[in-house]
Amino acid sequence: QVQLVESGGGLVQAGGSLRLSCAMSKSLSSINVMGWYRQAPGKQRELVASITSGIGENYADSVKGRFTISTDNAKNTVYLQMNTLKPEDTAVYYCNAVTAKSWNLKYDFWGQGTQVTVSS
């Protein structure tokens, strides 16, 4: 079991920046994939950014060049730096962790979400 707690959401004007944090209850070395998803009203949940251990990062086309995912292993925390925010970035952002103990034993964990609102 991995517990995830998101923070850092809030209200910001278009063009501004926010940094989201996801504190995890276990060492990041035990987590195979760490990611950020978001869901806006009336839309499907979508992947924003992810890090796969030993492989690298992945970003949605809509946020490339503006968002950066990073980790602080000492703090067991994953960050999402969001720059040049746009109103269409408004959504609830969820932290996600996937652990794979074997080829057929995988577990998926989610945080409660943090609201990001970008005003025009």
Side-chain angles (χ1 to χ4, degrees):
Q1 183 75 26
V2 181
Q3 298 177 42
L4 291 72
V5 180
E6 302 104 328
S7 63
L11 175 64
V12 65
Q13 291 184 337
S17 299
L18 284 173
R19 188 176 75 164
L20 305 183
S21 298
C22 177
M24 301 186 180
S25 63
K26 293 187 177 181
S27 171
L28 301 189
S29 65
S30 67
I31 300 171
N32 298 96
V33 184
M34 297 161 284
W36 288 95
Y37 291 74
R38 67 186 181 188
Q39 186 167 27
K43 296 184 178 180
Q44 294 184 352
R45 185 175 60 186
E46 64 174 345
L47 174 68
V48 177
S50 66
I51 295 177
T52 302
S53 181
I55 297 178
E57 305 169 7
N58 186 47
Y59 295 93
D61 288 340
S62 61
V63 306
K64 286 182 179 177
R66 299 190 298 120
F67 290 11
T68 303
I69 187 170
S70 63
T71 61
D72 186 332
N73 294 333
K75 295 182 178 180
N76 292 344
T77 299
V78 181
Y79 302 97
L80 183 67
Q81 179 66 47
M82 305 185 294
N83 298 325
T84 319
L85 283 162
K86 304 175 181 180
E88 51 263 44
D89 295 319
T90 296
V92 177
Y93 284 71
Y94 296 93
C95 187
N96 169 252
V98 178
T99 61
K101 304 301 181 182
S102 66
W103 68 273
N104 66 341
L105 188 60
K106 298 180 180 179
Y107 298 94
D108 204 12
F109 303 94
W110 295 90
Q112 293 299 115
T114 184
Q115 177 71 48
V116 172
T117 303
V118 184
S119 64
S120 60

